[in-house]
Amino acid sequence: MLKVYHSNSLDTLRDLLVEMVSRAPLSDPFNAEQILVQSPGMAQWLKLELAQRIGIAANIDFPLPASFLWHTFSQLLVDVPERSAYSKESMTWILMGILPAQLEDVHFKALSLYMGSDGSEIRLYQLCAKIADLFDQYLVYRPDWIAAWESNENAPAEGDQLWQPILWRAIVADTKSRALPHWHRANMFDAFIQAIDQAPDTHIPERIFVFGISALPDNYLQALVHLGRRCDIHLMVANPCRQFWSDIVDKRYLGKLLRLNRDSGSQSNSADIAKLQLYEQGNPLLASMGKLGRDYLHLIHQLQLPEVELFTEDDQTSLLRALQSDILSLRNRRHFEDDTDTQALENTRLAIGNNDHSISLHSCHSGMREVEVLQDQLLAVLEEHRDIEPRDIIIMMPDVAAYSPFIEAVFGQAVRQRYLPFSISDRNAQQESPLISNFLALLKLSMSRYTSTQLLEFMSLPALLRRFELDEAKFELVRLWVLESGVKWGLDASSRQELDLPEFSQNSWQFGLDRMFAGFAL
């Protein structure tokens, strides 16, 4: 059975998860506990919490929802590969093979104009990667479109978008011609639902927890509902509001309705304004920034599942807690029945103490300065609250990769007295490993100007130094030779000519090597 737990506190959901895992161990010791999470960082946090509270955290899997469901599909259905032929990476290469022949079609005029007359391979790859990403989202969020296109229907695409169903059918035909499995995330749900009832118990997890996931697509939820007929599934939802808030709207949406009403030719009168005021706004912060959670909760309510509410009580002891309590109770402190009621305004105002730093805003001129201010603030918090440890702190940002160099420079190079242990999560393999990123940069070297600083930077990598049996002293000698010989950029005169530049060899690598060998000969 699938049961939903609502709480505005992630700590409450975490404590519930730990209690369930420790109180009722699995009957099969070889069946790993399945905890679906949103990111590797969330999985690491749960591992530490489980280990601290239970004493050990072992035989637990923390898969992402997509990978878990695909693994379950591969166990219950026949001929489902470990990796789909319709993954983004696979579709990118399929499109590179079939798209050029499709560009002559009149429906592909927009793509043909983008490719231009040169039709470079790099531009083709970039276009195919974007289209593959688009189709991958359709497989998750618009499976009905995919089913219609595979039935030779073009709806809902029309006009300039007719290339999409045509191209999708070409991908399907290419996949069938190579005798690859036809399964993808849009066409396997019906077969999966039928296979659940006949599946042996060994192929069904004994217990599943879904924790810390902000939103799941509708077909993922439907798959979990049907899988819940064979096992216990606990869906733990971080719900910031205890009230029903699926119908609240923000001021921007109301303003859009007014503009549409005015643009349609009708005059905005008091009746129209009164009609718009029937919309419930609730808490303005939740209405404007909680749209994804609102739609997700609406999907869950439609399923009519058993639900458990674990909300905390209102707390007005600090500015942050008062803000959270307003969202929890769907309270708008700026809304009054009578705007002239000054007494009501006074009663809803919140007294903020001079030492209340629960919410603070810092204006910084660069990303580096942001991280420096963050380090100072963390040190101050740890100095004031001795019960807080570095592992209790999580820093969230929209783009981890953009801030990673600043974090390494500030936190990684701190002196011993100011050093804080840290780790950076949710980065791809290229960002995690300098060796991979430098290898990819090495592949792009043929399109560069071969500057001396660029090649010396490659040569300074420990892996390359080991490959050519060089140590730091020998590398410094090579660097001195390159600088003293006058090498600046370009392999030789012909390589500069390939860049549409004058054919000359001055300060090229060939020029520098000739000087070095001439000096050696003398």
Side-chain angles (χ1 to χ4, degrees), residues 1 4-5 29 90 98 125 139 167 214 235 291 314 357 364 421 426 440 459-460 486 519:
M1 180 180 65
V4 183
Y5 301 85
S90 178
I98 65 177
Y125 172 78
L139 289 172
L167 193 57
S214 56
L235 178 60
K291 297 176 182 177
D314 281 354
H357 302 292
C364 304
D426 301 338
L440 296 177
M459 195 178 296
S460 65

Side-chain angles (χ1 to χ4, degrees), residues 249-315:
V249 295
D250 62 328
K251 287 185 176 180
R252 292 184 179 180
Y253 179 74
L254 295 179
K256 180 180 179 181
L257 292 181
L258 278 174
R259 289 194 301 271
L260 291 176
N261 190 30
R262 184 172 59 250
D263 294 341
S264 62
S266 60
Q267 297 295 327
S268 297
N269 50 32
S270 58
D272 296 328
I273 296 176
K275 187 184 300 182
L276 293 178
Q277 288 177 348
L278 295 176
Y279 287 93
E280 179 68 29
Q281 184 183 1
N283 184 275
L285 187 62
L286 182 62
S288 61
M289 304 187 68
K291 297 176 182 177
L292 179 62
R294 179 192 64 192
D295 297 339
Y296 180 45
L297 290 173
H298 182 67
L299 287 176
I300 293 177
H301 292 323
Q302 285 183 325
L303 297 176
Q304 298 182 350
L305 301 170
E307 300 184 12
V308 179
E309 294 187 351
L310 302 171
F311 295 104
T312 60
E313 298 298 327
D314 281 354
D315 188 352

Side-chain angles (χ1 to χ4, degrees), residues 316-324 350-352 356 358-360:
Q316 308 284 336
T317 56
S318 68
L319 178 60
L320 175 60
R321 291 178 178 176
L323 179 62
Q324 293 170 335
L350 180 68
I352 304 174
D356 187 352
S358 56
I359 295 179
S360 59

Side-chain angles (χ1 to χ4, degrees), residues 21 89 103 120 178-179 185 222 263 269 284 299 301 315 319 386 389 392 394 412 435-436 458 464 500 518:
V21 172
E89 296 81 3
L103 293 178
S120 64
R178 291 183 286 119
R185 283 178 287 181
Q222 295 291 343
D263 294 341
N269 50 32
L299 287 176
H301 292 323
D315 188 352
L319 178 60
R386 295 304 180 106
E389 298 182 9
D392 299 324
I394 180 172
L435 189 62
I436 295 178
F458 279 121
L464 280 178
D500 296 330

Side-chain angles (χ1 to χ4, degrees), residues 36 62-74 82 185 220:
L36 278 60
F62 294 90
L64 302 179
S67 59
F68 167 77
L69 288 176
W70 186 264
H71 177 71
T72 307
F73 293 158
S74 64
E82 292 186 4
R185 283 178 287 181
Y220 284 19

Side-chain angles (χ1 to χ4, degrees), residues 154-347:
N154 293 330
E158 58 183 14
D160 295 338
Q161 304 299 325
L162 282 175
W163 60 269
Q164 296 189 35
I166 297 174
L167 193 57
W168 176 258
R169 287 191 284 267
I171 293 176
V172 174
D174 181 83
T175 304
K176 290 182 178 179
S177 66
R178 291 183 286 119
L180 294 176
H182 68 287
W183 296 113
H184 53 68
R185 283 178 287 181
N187 65 3
M188 61 172 42
F189 280 99
D190 293 338
F192 169 72
I193 292 171
Q194 296 175 3
I196 287 178
D197 297 332
Q198 291 80 25
D201 293 338
T202 55
H203 291 172
I204 302 293
E206 187 173 334
R207 191 169 54 191
I208 303 171
F209 297 93
V210 184
F211 185 90
I213 297 178
S214 56
L216 285 172
D218 182 46
N219 50 4
Y220 284 19
L221 280 175
Q222 295 291 343
L224 290 176
V225 168
H226 288 86
L227 190 61
R229 299 174 180 175
R230 297 290 305 274
C231 65
D232 291 333
I233 301 180
H234 305 278
L235 178 60
M236 300 180 176
V237 180
N239 187 350
C241 181
R242 65 160 65 94
Q243 307 294 336
F244 179 80
W245 58 286
S246 295
D247 56 355
I248 65 173
V249 295
D250 62 328
K251 287 185 176 180
R252 292 184 179 180
Y253 179 74
L254 295 179
K256 180 180 179 181
L257 292 181
L258 278 174
R259 289 194 301 271
L260 291 176
N261 190 30
R262 184 172 59 250
D263 294 341
S264 62
S266 60
Q267 297 295 327
S268 297
N269 50 32
S270 58
D272 296 328
I273 296 176
K275 187 184 300 182
L276 293 178
Q277 288 177 348
L278 295 176
Y279 287 93
E280 179 68 29
Q281 184 183 1
N283 184 275
L285 187 62
L286 182 62
S288 61
M289 304 187 68
K291 297 176 182 177
L292 179 62
R294 179 192 64 192
D295 297 339
Y296 180 45
L297 290 173
H298 182 67
L299 287 176
I300 293 177
H301 292 323
Q302 285 183 325
L303 297 176
Q304 298 182 350
L305 301 170
E307 300 184 12
V308 179
E309 294 187 351
L310 302 171
F311 295 104
T312 60
E313 298 298 327
D314 281 354
D315 188 352
Q316 308 284 336
T317 56
S318 68
L319 178 60
L320 175 60
R321 291 178 178 176
L323 179 62
Q324 293 170 335
S325 296
D326 290 347
I327 295 175
L328 176 64
S329 301
L330 205 62
R331 185 187 301 116
N332 184 1
R333 294 179 180 269
R334 301 291 298 175
H335 177 72
F336 311 103
E337 296 296 334
D338 184 4
D339 293 339
T340 62
D341 190 353
T342 57
Q343 184 63 36
L345 177 62
E346 291 294 336
N347 293 335

